[in-house]
Amino acid sequence: MTIAQNKVVTLHYEVADGESGEVIDSSAGGQPLTYLHGAQNIIPGLEQALEGKAVGDALEVTIEAADAYGERSDDRVQRVPHEAFAEIEKVEPGMSVTAQTESGPINLVVTEVDDDAVTVDANHPLAGKALTFNVTVEAVREASDEEVEHGHVHGPDGHDH
Ligand code: ZN
């Protein structure tokens, strides 16, 4: 069985910075990743590279930022008043915070703190980066009707949400 729309795919992966080669994340020694193919569960460039692959196939692919986590946008960097962080004892650069917005919670990283305001960056930490994936396909199966309907994979014990 090859990877195509509505197949559930299990894979081991290692992802590295496409320029420096520094490893960012890896499933080695841990749980493999399982996703529903064609449902935008994973970044578009990787989904495309996996199309047509089968169990046992290994691939290395470098994906440009636009097909990974997108380009960085300065519009996602904002200065907000200190009052917005009243609940946090000490706001420091490098700190991750979750902000509630009209379209749901988003993750922000504090990049600068000065007397007037706190600068936060809502770009994905991997935005603007090319990424190199080393992937091994471990399993491919048909998705259930329910999984296709929901657009994601359900666990071995069925529906748990
Ligand atoms: Zn579901």
Side-chain angles (χ1 to χ4, degrees), residues 150 152 154 159 161:
H150 287 207
H152 57 226
H154 293 150
H159 204 236
H161 64 110

mmCIF file of all heavy atoms in Angstrom, residues 150 152 154 159 161, ligand 1:
data_model
loop_
_atom_site.group_PDB
_atom_site.id
_atom_site.type_symbol
_atom_site.label_atom_id
_atom_site.label_comp_id
_atom_site.label_asym_id
_atom_site.label_seq_id
_atom_site.Cartn_x
_atom_site.Cartn_y
_atom_site.Cartn_z
ATOM 1 N N HIS A 150 -13.315 13.347 10.398
ATOM 2 C CA HIS A 150 -12.756 14.271 11.388
ATOM 3 C C HIS A 150 -11.485 14.968 10.901
ATOM 4 O O HIS A 150 -11.076 15.973 11.472
ATOM 5 C CB HIS A 150 -12.430 13.519 12.682
ATOM 6 C CG HIS A 150 -13.636 13.144 13.468
ATOM 7 N ND1 HIS A 150 -13.604 12.977 14.827
ATOM 8 C CD2 HIS A 150 -14.910 12.906 13.076
ATOM 9 C CE1 HIS A 150 -14.821 12.638 15.248
ATOM 10 N NE2 HIS A 150 -15.627 12.582 14.200
ATOM 11 N N HIS A 152 -8.468 13.676 11.132
ATOM 12 C CA HIS A 152 -7.304 13.304 11.948
ATOM 13 C C HIS A 152 -7.394 11.834 12.348
ATOM 14 O O HIS A 152 -8.427 11.200 12.158
ATOM 15 C CB HIS A 152 -7.165 14.215 13.174
ATOM 16 C CG HIS A 152 -8.391 14.226 14.051
ATOM 17 N ND1 HIS A 152 -8.953 15.374 14.543
ATOM 18 C CD2 HIS A 152 -9.173 13.225 14.496
ATOM 19 C CE1 HIS A 152 -10.015 15.073 15.265
ATOM 20 N NE2 HIS A 152 -10.169 13.774 15.256
ATOM 21 N N HIS A 154 -7.437 8.556 14.802
ATOM 22 C CA HIS A 154 -7.885 8.148 16.128
ATOM 23 C C HIS A 154 -6.978 7.054 16.654
ATOM 24 O O HIS A 154 -6.383 6.303 15.883
ATOM 25 C CB HIS A 154 -9.329 7.660 16.073
ATOM 26 C CG HIS A 154 -10.300 8.761 15.748
ATOM 27 N ND1 HIS A 154 -11.470 8.561 15.091
ATOM 28 C CD2 HIS A 154 -10.232 10.097 16.008
ATOM 29 C CE1 HIS A 154 -12.114 9.719 14.960
ATOM 30 N NE2 HIS A 154 -11.368 10.662 15.491
ATOM 31 N N HIS A 159 -12.351 6.144 19.401
ATOM 32 C CA HIS A 159 -12.566 7.587 19.528
ATOM 33 C C HIS A 159 -12.425 8.021 20.983
ATOM 34 O O HIS A 159 -13.055 7.466 21.843
ATOM 35 C CB HIS A 159 -13.969 7.889 19.028
ATOM 36 C CG HIS A 159 -14.119 9.294 18.568
ATOM 37 N ND1 HIS A 159 -15.060 10.138 19.055
ATOM 38 C CD2 HIS A 159 -13.404 9.995 17.685
ATOM 39 C CE1 HIS A 159 -14.946 11.311 18.451
ATOM 40 N NE2 HIS A 159 -13.937 11.253 17.621
ATOM 41 N N HIS A 161 -12.296 11.487 21.973
ATOM 42 C CA HIS A 161 -12.532 12.918 22.196
ATOM 43 C C HIS A 161 -13.922 13.325 21.705
ATOM 44 O O HIS A 161 -14.621 12.510 21.099
ATOM 45 C CB HIS A 161 -11.455 13.752 21.499
ATOM 46 C CG HIS A 161 -11.506 13.601 20.019
ATOM 47 N ND1 HIS A 161 -11.914 14.590 19.179
ATOM 48 C CD2 HIS A 161 -11.224 12.552 19.215
ATOM 49 C CE1 HIS A 161 -11.855 14.170 17.939
ATOM 50 N NE2 HIS A 161 -11.453 12.935 17.922
HETATM 51 ZN ZN ZN B 1 -11.902 12.598 15.839
#
